[in-house]
Amino acid sequence: MRYGTDSEYPFDTDNRAWRRLGDIASEHFDVITWNRDPDGRPVMLTLADLHTGDTITLAILDSLEIRDPYTLNAVHTGSDLAAHGPTSGPAAADSHAATLALDSTTLAATRPTPLHDPAATALPATCWVDLPTDLAAALRPALDDTRTAVLVLLDRTRGRLAAVGPFPTHAAADTWQPDDGPGPTADRLIVPLHPVTIQEARP
């Protein structure tokens, strides 16, 4: 359920991270959820250690539901490719390019890219974005040490790429295979996924 129309502090109890937190926390803690009157919106979560009685209380500020996931693919000098996100929609991904440009002296190009859910092995045509063929020919995965990864399928001949993920590890990304079409014949680049803040992920 979505609580409130305030765009600064919205919260949805159907948020997948919130629901997963509840499932995991209840296996290890005594969980108390504090709700506000009169609408019942959750505002705090208290976790009590079952063995010692120690507690911690967390304030619940807001939530973000990413319905149209995108990444910002960033190419650095040397043709190293990394991803940033996920964001909710292409506009949020594109706006993150300015932040990257301020923080990096090696940024050469960026491209917002739909992020395909790896739960579906059929890769639709809308996932592919065009690139200059000379850039596509030179791309290679950046070697940044991040745990989360994106699988980039790179069609160097036609100058286009598609992004699949996120994956919890590089090894998990390496096991994903598309059903048919150009995906199986494309080069596979497993690139680091750098997280963005909740404000940067908003549309």
Side-chain angles (χ1 to χ4, degrees), residues 27-181:
E27 295 176 2
H28 303 281
F29 300 95
D30 185 17
V31 180
I32 302 170
T33 304
W34 302 84
N35 302 307
R36 74 180 180 193
D37 289 330
D39 62 0
R41 180 204 189 281
V43 291
M44 291 190 301
L45 188 70
T46 296
L47 306 178
D49 182 74
L50 297 174
H51 302 292
T52 66
D54 291 354
T55 63
I56 184 171
T57 299
L58 310 173
I60 304 166
L61 299 181
D62 57 13
S63 68
L64 172 65
E65 293 71 52
I66 296 181
R67 308 298 186 201
D68 184 21
Y70 266 70
T71 64
L72 181 69
N73 285 338
V75 182
H76 294 265
T77 53
S79 300
D80 291 346
L81 178 65
H84 299 260
T87 67
S88 187
D94 194 40
S95 66
H96 186 59
T99 302
L100 288 185
L102 291 174
D103 293 341
S104 174
T105 59
T106 63
L107 186 65
T110 59
R111 180 62 56 89
T113 306
L115 187 59
H116 180 69
D117 185 349
T121 54
L123 194 66
T126 53
C127 285
W128 294 90
V129 297
D130 293 331
L131 295 172
T133 53
D134 58 339
L135 180 60
L139 288 181
R140 62 183 185 182
L143 299 178
D144 300 4
D145 186 19
T146 64
R147 178 179 178 183
T148 310
V150 166
L151 173 63
V152 172
L153 300 174
L154 178 60
D155 186 341
R156 297 185 191 270
T157 302
R158 299 181 64 177
R160 60 181 186 167
L161 61 76
V164 183
F167 295 94
T169 64
H170 287 225
D174 195 36
T175 64
W176 190 87
Q177 294 290 338
D179 281 343
D180 50 23

Side-chain angles (χ1 to χ4, degrees), residues 1-4 6 9-15 18 41-43 60-65:
M1 178 178 179
R2 189 74 172 176
Y3 284 92
D6 183 351
Y9 298 112
F11 186 77
D12 191 341
T13 52
D14 290 329
N15 180 281
W18 167 254
R41 180 204 189 281
V43 291
I60 304 166
L61 299 181
D62 57 13
S63 68
L64 172 65
E65 293 71 52

